[in-house]
Amino acid sequence: MPDYSLAIHDRLSLLPLFQGLSKRELTEIVGQTRFEFARHAAGETLATEGSPSESLMFLLSGTVTIVRHSDDHSCVIEEHLAAPTLFFSEHLFGLLRRHSCTYIAREQCETLSISKTETLRLLDTYDIFRTHLLNLLSTRVQRLSHRPLRTSPRNIQEKICRYLSDRCLYPAGPKDFQVKMQQVATDIGESRLNVSRTLHAMSEEQLLTISREHIHVVAMEKLF
């Protein structure tokens, strides 16, 4: 008969927040914590923007597409996250305990969820788990607090790159933006013609591709 507890133990040791815990601690966690495992088909929605955030979720396998909207819905951003990774962490606590994005399985994937109650118990019991979560949240806060101090863009291409990157959750990987070119021009304070010329030049450099109301960035980290 398969040893499912051992399989869970091995999987936990690879996940953010659990790395660095001893075998004894992982065994305790497996025996005392209620985990919710789920398998999702391609195209299935894991969470919807605006819905309550009630648990931590770990992506064990596969890839998830994250869909976000600007406040005025003039821009839709799609990013992709591959396993193993953690999401939902920044909205489990605090003032706004609702998801800011929609999460969709890009392919068949597996997830592990831990309720807020179980998460609080783990935070209270295991120093390493607590430190990992605090480091993760602190890093995000530090990156956001540094944004106003960055050097201003010097030309239209730098303005476009800043516009795109500021709307992303993660600084690397492919990104898709559903946005009108006129909206980009308005938001960065440039003419639509100059924005169009710059985007076409960036397309020739294979940094991105453009089509009607759509910009696909090949790899965000290559824009800088």
Side-chain angles (χ1 to χ4, degrees):
M1 183 176 180
D3 188 346
Y4 291 108
S5 64
L6 180 60
I8 296 173
H9 175 286
D10 291 340
R11 284 186 160 191
L12 286 182
S13 66
L14 299 175
L15 295 176
L17 307 190
F18 293 101
Q19 294 177 359
L21 288 164
S22 68
K23 187 173 182 179
R24 178 187 60 79
E25 290 171 322
L26 288 171
T27 301
E28 286 179 355
I29 291 172
V30 170
Q32 299 173 7
T33 307
R34 180 177 178 180
F35 296 113
E36 295 183 15
F37 290 90
R39 186 169 294 172
H40 308 273
E44 180 180 341
T45 299
L46 280 61
T48 305
E49 181 179 351
S51 62
S53 178
E54 300 172 336
S55 63
L56 290 179
M57 181 175 282
F58 297 86
L59 184 64
L60 301 177
S61 66
T63 307
V64 166
T65 297
I66 302 174
V67 183
R68 306 175 68 215
H69 295 80
S70 60
D71 284 350
D72 60 2
H73 284 246
S74 63
C75 182
V76 182
I77 307 99
E78 292 189 5
E79 304 181 64
H80 308 298
L81 270 186
T85 192
L86 164 70
F87 38 81
F88 301 176
S89 57
E90 65 271 27
H91 293 288
L92 190 60
F93 307 99
L95 180 63
L96 302 175
R97 296 191 294 274
R98 291 183 176 273
H99 297 297
S100 62
C101 316
T102 295
Y103 299 80
I104 303 170
R106 194 179 184 196
E107 57 192 358
Q108 181 174 302
C109 61
E110 295 176 294
T111 59
L112 179 155
S113 299
I114 306 176
S115 70
K116 184 175 182 177
T117 300
E118 293 285 11
T119 299
L120 287 170
R121 185 180 60 78
L122 291 172
L123 289 170
D124 187 55
T125 307
Y126 300 98
D127 290 341
I128 292 178
F129 185 93
R130 180 169 61 253
T131 300
H132 282 323
L133 184 58
L134 287 173
N135 282 339
L136 186 152
L137 296 176
S138 295
T139 298
R140 292 182 181 176
V141 169
Q142 290 163 11
R143 286 174 176 168
L144 288 173
S145 66
H146 181 70
R147 280 187 175 184
L149 304 177
R150 294 174 298 176
T151 302
S152 299
R154 295 165 295 181
N155 52 53
I156 297 178
Q157 180 166 328
E158 289 187 1
K159 285 184 178 182
I160 291 173
C161 292
R162 179 71 60 82
Y163 172 89
L164 297 175
S165 66
D166 280 353
R167 282 154 178 76
C168 295
L169 291 173
Y170 304 96
K175 317 289 180 184
D176 287 281
F177 301 83
Q178 297 176 35
V179 61
K180 294 180 179 179
M181 201 173 294
Q182 180 59 58
Q183 185 65 49
V184 177
T186 299
D187 288 343
I188 68 173
E190 297 287 346
S191 70
R192 185 188 183 285
L193 179 59
N194 285 339
V195 168
S196 176
R197 287 173 175 168
T198 304
L199 285 172
H200 279 89
M202 295 172 70
S203 177
E204 291 176 359
E205 296 177 32
Q206 298 184 339
L207 295 173
L208 49 78
T209 59
I210 54 175
S211 57
R212 183 175 176 80
E213 298 184 11
H214 181 260
I215 300 172
H216 171 73
V217 177
V218 178
M220 182 58 70
E221 65 272 21
K222 292 184 179 180
L223 296 187
F224 297 94

